[in-house]
Amino acid sequence: MSAVIRTTGLSAGYGGSAVLHKLDLEVGAGEVVSLLGPNGAGKTTTLLAISGILPPLAGKVEVLGEPVSASEPHVNARRGLAHVPEDRALFFSLTVRENIRLGQRSGGPSFEQLMEYFPALANRVSQRSGLLSGGEQQMLALARALAGGPRALMIDEMSLGLAPVIVENLLPVVRRIAREQAVGVLLVEQHVHLALGISDRGYVLRQGELIAEGTAAELQESRQLLEAGYLGELAV
Ligand SMILES: Nc1ncnc2c1ncn2[C@@H]1O[C@H](COP(=O)(O)OP(=O)(O)O)[C@@H](O)[C@H]1O
Ligand SMILES: [Mg+2]
C-alpha cells in the first residue's frame, strides 16, 4: 500500500509536554480511516501535527512520501494534503461559489463535479456561506477542500452540531469521494458506528495512547472496546 499519510512514533503536544504518545498510523490512497476516541484523546492534536501546524516532539510524519517539517502547512497543502478543521474555516461573507474558488487549483475536480457530490449546494451557489445551514456549511468546507484536488484529506469532527440524519447522508459521500478521487481520508468522528460503517480501517486513541487498531469490522465487534465501556462513551 502506498501511504499518503504516515506517522512513525509521533508524539505531539503543547508547551513541550506530550498529549499524543508514539503514534504509528497510516492512510493509503483511496482508503477511509477513522481516528476515534473520547474528548481530549488527542485526535485534533494528531491532525495538527500531520498538517505541520504543530511541531512533533518526537517521531516523524510523512505526507505523500515526503517528510513533513513543522511550520510549513502550506507546503503540505501544495503537496496535496487538505485539512478540514473543526470550525470549518469558511469565509462567511463570501458566497458558496467564491469559497470554492478560493480552494480551486489546476488538476482538481470541476465546480460542476463538486456540485454533483453536494447537490444541496448547487441551489445556493450565490448565497453567502454564513447564511447556510450547519450541514450545508460542512458540505461547503468539504467541497472547498476537494477543489484543490488533494491526495489526502483530513476531516475533524465533521458532524459537530449536525443532526444525525445529516451525518448519515454525508458520510457515504465521503466514501464515494475517496473512491472516485483516489483520496486517502483520515476521519475524526464522534459517531463511531456510522464512521466505521464507511471506513476501511480505524485507530482508537485514549489519553494520547493508541488502544486499538484494525479493520472497521474488527473494531465494530471489538469485545475489548465494548467491555471497557469505551464505545458507550461516544455517540453511536
Ligand atoms: N492549545 C492547547 N494547549 C494546551 N493543551 C491543549 C491544547 N489543545 C488541546 N490540549 C490538550 O491536549 C489533549 C488532547 O486534545 P485534543 O487533541 O484536542 O483532543 P481531541 O481532539 O481528541 O478531543 C487534551 O488534554 C487537551 O486538553
Ligand atoms: Mg478534537
Side-chain angles (χ1 to χ4, degrees), residues 90-92 94-96 99 127-132 137 140:
L90 297 171
F91 294 97
F92 284 153
L94 300 184
T95 66
V96 166
N99 268 281
Q127 190 158 107
R128 285 199 284 138
S129 69
L131 301 176
L132 300 176
Q137 286 180 0
L140 179 55

Side-chain angles (χ1 to χ4, degrees), residues 14 19 38-45:
Y14 306 89
V19 298
N39 269 337
K43 306 181 298 296
T44 294
T45 303

Side-chain angles (χ1 to χ4, degrees), residues 66-197:
E66 300 282 335
V68 166
S69 54
S71 318
E72 291 194 334
H74 58 284
V75 173
N76 289 314
R78 259 205 312 275
R79 262 179 209 152
L81 177 71
H83 184 177
V84 179
E86 238 172 333
D87 67 6
R88 296 163 195 163
L90 297 171
F91 294 97
F92 284 153
S93 60
L94 300 184
T95 66
V96 166
R97 188 187 291 279
E98 287 164 344
N99 268 281
I100 289 176
R101 237 183 231 146
L102 286 172
Q104 273 179 322
R105 292 192 323 184
S106 60
S110 67
F111 189 80
E112 290 65 35
Q113 214 174 345
L114 293 168
M115 291 302 106
E116 209 210 304
Y117 287 128
F118 306 105
L121 290 182
N123 304 319
R124 306 235 187 294
V125 291
S126 303
Q127 190 158 107
R128 285 199 284 138
S129 69
L131 301 176
L132 300 176
S133 70
E136 289 162 350
Q137 286 180 0
Q138 187 62 74
M139 291 176 206
L140 179 55
L142 290 169
R144 188 183 59 185
L146 285 173
R151 307 269 48 95
L153 172 62
M154 303 193 293
I155 310 173
D156 201 350
E157 303 265 1
M158 185 181 86
S159 59
L160 202 73
L162 303 186
V165 61
I166 311 262
V167 182
E168 278 174 45
N169 290 334
L170 265 182
L171 284 172
V173 180
V174 171
R175 175 77 257 179
R176 193 181 145 211
I177 286 165
R179 189 178 55 240
E180 293 181 359
Q181 304 286 324
V183 184
V185 178
L186 183 57
L187 183 68
V188 169
E189 185 50 64
Q190 289 292 326
H191 292 267
V192 169
H193 293 296
L194 289 179
L196 289 174

